[in-house]
Amino acid sequence: MDFQDFYGVRSAGLARQIKHLRQRGHSFVLGEIATFTGAVVALACVTMTADTAVRLLGAGVAAACLVAYVAIRWADTRNDARIGRLENLKQVYDNELCAQRGDYACFDDGRRYADPHHAYTYDLDIFGPGSLYQRLCRTVTTGGSDALAARLGSLDGQTAVTASMPASAKPLDEAYGAGYQARIGALAADEPFRAAFMAHGVRGRINTDAIGRALETAATVRVPRALGSRWLQMLMAADLTAFYVCIVLAVLGRANGLVPLWWGMLQFFVVYLLCMRPLREVGKAVNWLHGQLRQLVDVARLMDEGRADVFARLSALLDGLDKRGNIMGLVLVDVLGLYDLLLLRRFLRWVETDRWEMEAWMARVVQMDQDVTVATFLYNHPATCWPEVTGEPGVRMEAEGLYHPFLGERAVRNDFRIDDRHFYIITGANMAGKSTFLRAVGVNYVLGRVGMPVFARRLRVSRFRLFSSMRTSDDLAHGISYFNAELLRLQQLKDCLRGEPTLLILDEILKGTNSLDKLNGSRMFLDYVSRQPVSGIVATHDLELSKLESARFHNYCFEIDLGTRVTYSYRITPGVARNQNATFLLRQILGEAEAGA
């Protein structure tokens, strides 16, 4: 399937629909102007003639024009709303089209989650510009983004498992078993649903964390429980009944007209003073949620139209709080309907019942947010597969056709096997593919263990922790040199070895020192970690390190061919690299410089 064609066709089709709806919108505007003008002219005619028949006709025309205006205005509003939805949907396809062309700038890069001290995410480019997270993330809620980031960083043995992740007592891969994979596969096939879901986040994420905090704050507002009692409901009904009877009697001349007036005024002040403070506190906590909540309501209804009433009820409550801003209207509705009391009673019912259901719904939305992201990832990369996660002890990995996700179809696939407490020394020239291979191993293990498809023909892994040391840098602001930074990273590695099976991915141990010191230090370090329950992949340019080869230390390499130019195979093979390219390439550069001179 050509995804560029698919997303391009969808975007172009939506563009045509939007253009048609905009043209219809122009017609609606003309209709509104015509009907409104007709109503004004008809009313003017009514006031300018004494002919009863003409006046009745004018009044009828004015009424018809006003009804037509309201109907056209309603249709225009619905048309604008549909244009907005289609524009968001088109943006989804435009974003995916950009991604197919290698441009991920329109997606969240997750740089806020980047941590140079994390066990592996910094080295493996999990977060930040151009990262795995940026290529993967399609979340529409902040809760979904946070949960996705937590999953990707959860294999260090230290990251806390959140409510939106599997319980800590349950291994991650059990939660992401066959049932989960079938659900993600079905979701991947339901492309229209996924696109409609993602459309709710293209203009800005739904801040589920802030919504949760605001609702929790609102729920703590002190409201007298008596206001929610059954007896008060009966008293309100009796009061309003008597009030309206009094009004009728006053109209019929059977009662003093001042009685309903004073009754209404007293009623307003009692209700207003009783409800003013708690409603102000509730409004202060949740009024800003209206726009966010509208998005959340739409998402919940998309997920389950019949069971999202809890959001609609909260939205109605917020609408009611908004309407209190009109003081004249508030006086009227409090006098005629005890509106503020009804609003407070509705709020109490929400606290007692809907609040808990809404928390469960928000958790469902966050989970669906992650599932849509993973399903879209699966859909956009049909060559991936689901890994097999075993219960074997120790560190074990069998990979066939493994490659790095960033390389796409042009990647060279490699087979590789890692056994428990074995170490693999990988040599090769610069740019031969050592570091990319190390990252391919690490990234695919992370993807497989946190419920995502992997970039391989087959991947079978056990459960183990992951630690890497590939990208250290100095910190002059804190007086940390490059070599000191390397030592601190190795100290962190040593501290994390707590008897649990761990895979170490190391790229050039002790790069910041001289060759002999580096070799002796590397041997010393590998000797130490080889006595721990770990396995390791170590990339190095130091061919002397390959002499560690034994029953547990194995040599692999990325070989190159040196002819008139350097040829890279990017294939890992057993043995030690024979050719290096630094001198060869430098000779070419210097030769070109001399020829130019």
mmCIF file of all heavy atoms in Angstrom, residues 526-551:
data_model
loop_
_atom_site.group_PDB
_atom_site.id
_atom_site.type_symbol
_atom_site.label_atom_id
_atom_site.label_comp_id
_atom_site.label_asym_id
_atom_site.label_seq_id
_atom_site.Cartn_x
_atom_site.Cartn_y
_atom_site.Cartn_z
ATOM 1 N N LEU A 526 34.831 -4.675 32.017
ATOM 2 C CA LEU A 526 34.135 -5.851 31.490
ATOM 3 C C LEU A 526 34.340 -7.063 32.387
ATOM 4 O O LEU A 526 33.444 -7.906 32.527
ATOM 5 C CB LEU A 526 34.603 -6.144 30.066
ATOM 6 C CG LEU A 526 34.150 -5.116 29.010
ATOM 7 C CD1 LEU A 526 34.765 -5.428 27.656
ATOM 8 C CD2 LEU A 526 32.631 -5.107 28.915
ATOM 9 N N ASP A 527 35.523 -7.158 32.979
ATOM 10 C CA ASP A 527 35.761 -8.258 33.923
ATOM 11 C C ASP A 527 34.816 -8.145 35.119
ATOM 12 O O ASP A 527 34.271 -9.151 35.596
ATOM 13 C CB ASP A 527 37.221 -8.228 34.385
ATOM 14 C CG ASP A 527 37.504 -9.307 35.439
ATOM 15 O OD1 ASP A 527 37.431 -10.504 35.095
ATOM 16 O OD2 ASP A 527 37.748 -8.922 36.603
ATOM 17 N N TYR A 528 34.594 -6.908 35.592
ATOM 18 C CA TYR A 528 33.695 -6.706 36.732
ATOM 19 C C TYR A 528 32.254 -7.052 36.379
ATOM 20 O O TYR A 528 31.591 -7.808 37.090
ATOM 21 C CB TYR A 528 33.795 -5.257 37.220
ATOM 22 C CG TYR A 528 32.754 -4.922 38.271
ATOM 23 C CD1 TYR A 528 32.930 -5.293 39.598
ATOM 24 C CD2 TYR A 528 31.577 -4.263 37.911
ATOM 25 C CE1 TYR A 528 31.964 -5.010 40.552
ATOM 26 C CE2 TYR A 528 30.610 -3.967 38.862
ATOM 27 C CZ TYR A 528 30.804 -4.339 40.182
ATOM 28 O OH TYR A 528 29.853 -4.073 41.128
ATOM 29 N N VAL A 529 31.753 -6.490 35.267
ATOM 30 C CA VAL A 529 30.342 -6.704 34.944
ATOM 31 C C VAL A 529 30.075 -8.142 34.514
ATOM 32 O O VAL A 529 28.947 -8.639 34.639
ATOM 33 C CB VAL A 529 29.848 -5.728 33.853
ATOM 34 C CG1 VAL A 529 29.914 -4.301 34.350
ATOM 35 C CG2 VAL A 529 30.609 -5.897 32.555
ATOM 36 N N SER A 530 31.113 -8.841 34.030
ATOM 37 C CA SER A 530 30.902 -10.235 33.613
ATOM 38 C C SER A 530 30.615 -11.142 34.802
ATOM 39 O O SER A 530 30.133 -12.261 34.625
ATOM 40 C CB SER A 530 32.122 -10.749 32.844
ATOM 41 O OG SER A 530 33.252 -10.871 33.713
ATOM 42 N N ARG A 531 30.895 -10.638 36.001
ATOM 43 C CA ARG A 531 30.580 -11.419 37.212
ATOM 44 C C ARG A 531 29.205 -11.083 37.768
ATOM 45 O O ARG A 531 28.817 -11.570 38.820
ATOM 46 C CB ARG A 531 31.662 -11.179 38.263
ATOM 47 C CG ARG A 531 33.003 -11.829 37.898
ATOM 48 C CD ARG A 531 34.082 -11.640 38.955
ATOM 49 N NE ARG A 531 34.903 -10.454 38.680
ATOM 50 C CZ ARG A 531 34.946 -9.380 39.443
ATOM 51 N NH1 ARG A 531 34.204 -9.312 40.517
ATOM 52 N NH2 ARG A 531 35.729 -8.370 39.139
ATOM 53 N N GLN A 532 28.474 -10.218 37.061
ATOM 54 C CA GLN A 532 27.114 -9.841 37.448
ATOM 55 C C GLN A 532 26.112 -10.586 36.543
ATOM 56 O O GLN A 532 26.477 -11.106 35.499
ATOM 57 C CB GLN A 532 26.925 -8.325 37.303
ATOM 58 C CG GLN A 532 28.012 -7.496 37.969
ATOM 59 C CD GLN A 532 28.084 -7.729 39.470
ATOM 60 O OE1 GLN A 532 27.065 -7.834 40.142
ATOM 61 N NE2 GLN A 532 29.305 -7.803 39.995
ATOM 62 N N PRO A 533 24.826 -10.596 36.921
ATOM 63 C CA PRO A 533 23.812 -11.269 36.096
ATOM 64 C C PRO A 533 23.404 -10.413 34.898
ATOM 65 O O PRO A 533 22.251 -10.011 34.754
ATOM 66 C CB PRO A 533 22.652 -11.456 37.082
ATOM 67 C CG PRO A 533 22.767 -10.320 38.018
ATOM 68 C CD PRO A 533 24.250 -10.077 38.181
ATOM 69 N N VAL A 534 24.386 -10.127 34.040
ATOM 70 C CA VAL A 534 24.115 -9.254 32.900
ATOM 71 C C VAL A 534 24.673 -9.861 31.624
ATOM 72 O O VAL A 534 25.549 -10.732 31.630
ATOM 73 C CB VAL A 534 24.736 -7.847 33.109
ATOM 74 C CG1 VAL A 534 24.224 -7.211 34.381
ATOM 75 C CG2 VAL A 534 26.250 -7.915 33.115
ATOM 76 N N SER A 535 24.146 -9.381 30.513
ATOM 77 C CA SER A 535 24.726 -9.618 29.193
ATOM 78 C C SER A 535 25.089 -8.262 28.621
ATOM 79 O O SER A 535 24.605 -7.229 29.101
ATOM 80 C CB SER A 535 23.729 -10.319 28.273
ATOM 81 O OG SER A 535 23.375 -11.591 28.784
ATOM 82 N N GLY A 536 25.942 -8.248 27.602
ATOM 83 C CA GLY A 536 26.365 -6.956 27.081
ATOM 84 C C GLY A 536 26.706 -6.979 25.611
ATOM 85 O O GLY A 536 27.166 -7.994 25.075
ATOM 86 N N ILE A 537 26.447 -5.836 24.965
ATOM 87 C CA ILE A 537 26.906 -5.592 23.591
ATOM 88 C C ILE A 537 27.808 -4.379 23.665
ATOM 89 O O ILE A 537 27.386 -3.309 24.122
ATOM 90 C CB ILE A 537 25.744 -5.311 22.626
ATOM 91 C CG1 ILE A 537 24.634 -6.332 22.774
ATOM 92 C CG2 ILE A 537 26.226 -5.295 21.187
ATOM 93 C CD1 ILE A 537 23.414 -6.026 21.927
ATOM 94 N N VAL A 538 29.052 -4.531 23.213
ATOM 95 C CA VAL A 538 30.041 -3.462 23.348
ATOM 96 C C VAL A 538 30.617 -3.157 21.974
ATOM 97 O O VAL A 538 31.257 -4.018 21.352
ATOM 98 C CB VAL A 538 31.177 -3.874 24.307
ATOM 99 C CG1 VAL A 538 32.153 -2.710 24.497
ATOM 100 C CG2 VAL A 538 30.623 -4.337 25.640
ATOM 101 N N ALA A 539 30.386 -1.957 21.477
ATOM 102 C CA ALA A 539 30.990 -1.522 20.218
ATOM 103 C C ALA A 539 32.308 -0.830 20.528
ATOM 104 O O ALA A 539 32.409 -0.048 21.478
ATOM 105 C CB ALA A 539 30.054 -0.569 19.488
ATOM 106 N N THR A 540 33.325 -1.110 19.727
ATOM 107 C CA THR A 540 34.637 -0.524 19.983
ATOM 108 C C THR A 540 35.450 -0.442 18.700
ATOM 109 O O THR A 540 35.245 -1.233 17.765
ATOM 110 C CB THR A 540 35.410 -1.346 21.029
ATOM 111 O OG1 THR A 540 36.660 -0.699 21.310
ATOM 112 C CG2 THR A 540 35.662 -2.761 20.550
ATOM 113 N N HIS A 541 36.368 0.531 18.656
ATOM 114 C CA HIS A 541 37.363 0.595 17.584
ATOM 115 C C HIS A 541 38.657 -0.093 18.013
ATOM 116 O O HIS A 541 39.558 -0.261 17.184
ATOM 117 C CB HIS A 541 37.669 2.063 17.243
ATOM 118 C CG HIS A 541 36.553 2.758 16.532
ATOM 119 N ND1 HIS A 541 36.278 2.559 15.202
ATOM 120 C CD2 HIS A 541 35.626 3.639 16.971
ATOM 121 C CE1 HIS A 541 35.231 3.305 14.845
ATOM 122 N NE2 HIS A 541 34.823 3.965 15.906
ATOM 123 N N ASP A 542 38.741 -0.440 19.288
ATOM 124 C CA ASP A 542 39.972 -1.010 19.842
ATOM 125 C C ASP A 542 39.998 -2.507 19.564
ATOM 126 O O ASP A 542 39.347 -3.302 20.248
ATOM 127 C CB ASP A 542 40.021 -0.737 21.342
ATOM 128 C CG ASP A 542 41.424 -0.934 21.899
ATOM 129 O OD1 ASP A 542 42.182 -1.705 21.291
ATOM 130 O OD2 ASP A 542 41.741 -0.316 22.923
ATOM 131 N N LEU A 543 40.746 -2.912 18.551
ATOM 132 C CA LEU A 543 40.787 -4.320 18.157
ATOM 133 C C LEU A 543 41.412 -5.199 19.233
ATOM 134 O O LEU A 543 41.163 -6.406 19.275
ATOM 135 C CB LEU A 543 41.569 -4.467 16.845
ATOM 136 C CG LEU A 543 41.008 -3.682 15.641
ATOM 137 C CD1 LEU A 543 41.825 -3.981 14.385
ATOM 138 C CD2 LEU A 543 39.552 -4.008 15.422
ATOM 139 N N GLU A 544 42.222 -4.610 20.127
ATOM 140 C CA GLU A 544 42.839 -5.387 21.200
ATOM 141 C C GLU A 544 41.773 -5.965 22.131
ATOM 142 O O GLU A 544 41.964 -7.011 22.741
ATOM 143 C CB GLU A 544 43.801 -4.512 22.001
ATOM 144 C CG GLU A 544 45.091 -4.184 21.279
ATOM 145 C CD GLU A 544 45.940 -5.439 21.049
ATOM 146 O OE1 GLU A 544 46.079 -6.238 22.003
ATOM 147 O OE2 GLU A 544 46.405 -5.647 19.921
ATOM 148 N N LEU A 545 40.643 -5.291 22.241
ATOM 149 C CA LEU A 545 39.578 -5.765 23.130
ATOM 150 C C LEU A 545 38.985 -7.075 22.628
ATOM 151 O O LEU A 545 38.418 -7.850 23.400
ATOM 152 C CB LEU A 545 38.483 -4.700 23.221
ATOM 153 C CG LEU A 545 37.670 -4.644 24.520
ATOM 154 C CD1 LEU A 545 38.575 -4.443 25.730
ATOM 155 C CD2 LEU A 545 36.651 -3.507 24.451
ATOM 156 N N SER A 546 39.166 -7.342 21.327
ATOM 157 C CA SER A 546 38.639 -8.589 20.767
ATOM 158 C C SER A 546 39.390 -9.817 21.295
ATOM 159 O O SER A 546 38.887 -10.936 21.184
ATOM 160 C CB SER A 546 38.731 -8.559 19.245
ATOM 161 O OG SER A 546 40.091 -8.520 18.819
ATOM 162 N N LYS A 547 40.551 -9.597 21.905
ATOM 163 C CA LYS A 547 41.319 -10.722 22.451
ATOM 164 C C LYS A 547 40.695 -11.298 23.712
ATOM 165 O O LYS A 547 41.175 -12.304 24.249
ATOM 166 C CB LYS A 547 42.754 -10.276 22.720
ATOM 167 C CG LYS A 547 43.516 -9.935 21.444
ATOM 168 C CD LYS A 547 44.941 -9.493 21.728
ATOM 169 C CE LYS A 547 45.666 -9.149 20.435
ATOM 170 N NZ LYS A 547 47.069 -8.682 20.666
ATOM 171 N N LEU A 548 39.627 -10.656 24.199
ATOM 172 C CA LEU A 548 38.887 -11.219 25.333
ATOM 173 C C LEU A 548 38.055 -12.431 24.931
ATOM 174 O O LEU A 548 37.430 -13.063 25.781
ATOM 175 C CB LEU A 548 37.957 -10.151 25.926
ATOM 176 C CG LEU A 548 38.611 -8.996 26.680
ATOM 177 C CD1 LEU A 548 37.565 -7.948 27.044
ATOM 178 C CD2 LEU A 548 39.287 -9.506 27.948
ATOM 179 N N GLU A 549 38.040 -12.733 23.636
ATOM 180 C CA GLU A 549 37.177 -13.813 23.131
ATOM 181 C C GLU A 549 37.364 -15.096 23.939
ATOM 182 O O GLU A 549 38.469 -15.531 24.222
ATOM 183 C CB GLU A 549 37.466 -14.081 21.660
ATOM 184 C CG GLU A 549 36.510 -15.100 21.057
ATOM 185 C CD GLU A 549 36.694 -15.246 19.565
ATOM 186 O OE1 GLU A 549 37.786 -14.900 19.056
ATOM 187 O OE2 GLU A 549 35.743 -15.693 18.885
ATOM 188 N N SER A 550 36.215 -15.673 24.357
ATOM 189 C CA SER A 550 36.218 -16.892 25.169
ATOM 190 C C SER A 550 34.848 -17.529 25.024
ATOM 191 O O SER A 550 34.083 -17.199 24.118
ATOM 192 C CB SER A 550 36.502 -16.548 26.632
ATOM 193 O OG SER A 550 35.469 -15.727 27.154
ATOM 194 N N ALA A 551 34.542 -18.432 25.941
ATOM 195 C CA ALA A 551 33.241 -19.102 25.885
ATOM 196 C C ALA A 551 32.096 -18.126 26.080
ATOM 197 O O ALA A 551 30.970 -18.358 25.598
ATOM 198 C CB ALA A 551 33.183 -20.202 26.940
#
